[in-house]
Amino acid sequence: MESSEKTDVVLLACGSFNPITNMHLRLFELAKDYMNGTGKYRVIKGIISPVGDAYKKKGLISAHHRVIMAELATKNSEWVEVDTWESLQKDWVETAKVLRHHQQKLKAHICDHQQDSPGLERPGRKRKWAEQSEEFNQKKSPEPKTKDGPKIKLLCGADILESFGVPNLWKSEDITKIVGDYGLICVARAGNDAQKFIYESDVLWKHQNNIHLVNEWITNDISSTKIRRALRRGQSIRYLVPDLVREYIEKHNLYNSESEERNVGVILAPLQRNAANTNS
């Protein structure tokens, strides 16, 4: 598709990352391969955005630790990084607002990059998307030109599609914004029927062209829940999470029976907020 334009894409993954696992990292690689393979997109960056403590999910440990683990997990990545904005908010922030925040941040970088001359890259930091884009544009290969500015897309598993149907978990207008204004890249895990979830939702069906389903041919059923369960039982999690993450967990004894009781009996923040809005 040499005559067409490619759209630069930034993948944003929101979630608890409690703890981050190798599967979370694989989602980024699978999504990048798929999107680049379409010939229409070019993935230039990945962002991990851990949810804040105000989310109130059962067993959710401090965002401070979850952010550090995510940073350790992406330490050697050339394109995936951790953003702390969401985790530092006092109140829980809806995913649609997190997407908006990062899209606005990208637009601000466009303005800065157009006004300022290129500077030296600071050692130890991952290259910003603008620097990556400049490098791509300087290549002499017949790469298609990119469209105006990178687009943020939400990276998720099929369980997110399924959760859209849970009463009061998501506001209908937020679902419309997420799939309509930004788009989803959904990696289908074993046991989830992503196509069925789209079929059963009028909103998802309407915006199905903005939902990219990625098949996970090499299945991986690692989950944070299973990691925490193994740790509570004194079992090894080696090769299920990055070594640096495992070492950090062991050093600080982060997951045990006591930590799993955190927020027990507390209503999940979105359920509490959306239910209150419905009744008001």
Side-chain angles (χ1 to χ4, degrees), residues 29-221:
E29 297 296 331
L30 290 166
K32 182 180 181 181
D33 284 347
Y34 173 85
M35 295 299 283
N36 288 350
T38 65
K40 300 178 182 178
Y41 304 97
R42 180 168 60 205
V43 175
I44 61 171
K45 184 177 180 180
I47 301 173
I48 292 175
S49 178
V51 73
D53 294 338
Y55 188 55
K56 300 297 182 183
K57 187 175 183 179
K58 179 180 177 294
L60 186 67
I61 68 168
S62 168
H64 169 75
H65 289 304
R66 291 182 286 110
V67 166
I68 290 177
M69 288 188 287
E71 289 175 340
L72 289 172
T74 57
K75 185 177 181 180
N76 296 321
S77 176
E78 296 179 351
W79 67 284
V80 180
E81 61 186 52
V82 181
D83 187 273
T84 62
W85 179 82
E86 181 183 1
S87 68
L88 295 175
Q89 302 306 303
K90 180 180 178 181
D91 298 319
W92 168 70
V93 184
E94 293 93 337
T95 300
K97 291 182 179 178
V98 180
L99 283 162
R100 183 180 66 187
H101 166 79
H102 285 285
Q103 190 66 69
Q104 291 175 342
K105 192 174 178 180
L106 286 173
K107 290 181 179 179
H109 279 311
I110 291 176
C111 295
D112 292 342
H113 185 64
Q114 289 175 341
Q115 294 175 4
D116 301 334
S117 58
L120 293 175
E121 183 179 348
R122 293 163 65 177
R125 297 191 63 189
K126 296 184 177 69
R127 295 176 303 162
K128 291 186 175 66
W129 68 264
E131 295 165 334
Q132 296 177 2
S133 181
E134 181 181 16
E135 178 182 297
F136 276 118
N137 292 335
Q138 288 177 347
K139 290 183 178 179
K140 295 182 179 180
S141 58
E143 280 284 336
K145 295 181 179 179
T146 58
K147 296 180 180 179
D148 294 338
K151 305 298 181 184
I152 284 280
K153 290 188 180 295
L154 184 65
L155 172 62
C156 65
D159 53 332
I160 295 297
L161 287 181
E162 185 177 12
S163 75
F164 284 159
V166 177
N168 292 325
L169 188 58
W170 299 84
K171 291 189 293 187
S172 58
E173 56 265 36
D174 280 359
I175 297 175
T176 300
K177 287 180 182 177
I178 291 170
V179 296
D181 296 347
Y182 301 101
L184 282 178
I185 303 174
C186 176
V187 179
R189 293 180 176 180
N192 280 307
D193 191 346
Q195 287 282 8
K196 180 182 178 183
F197 301 145
I198 294 174
Y199 171 75
E200 293 177 344
S201 167
D202 289 342
V203 174
L204 298 183
W205 183 263
K206 178 180 179 181
H207 298 286
Q208 60 180 302
N209 289 336
N210 211 19
I211 301 175
H212 304 270
L213 298 182
V214 183
N215 288 318
E216 183 191 356
W217 295 112
I218 304 176
T219 57
N220 188 334
D221 199 29

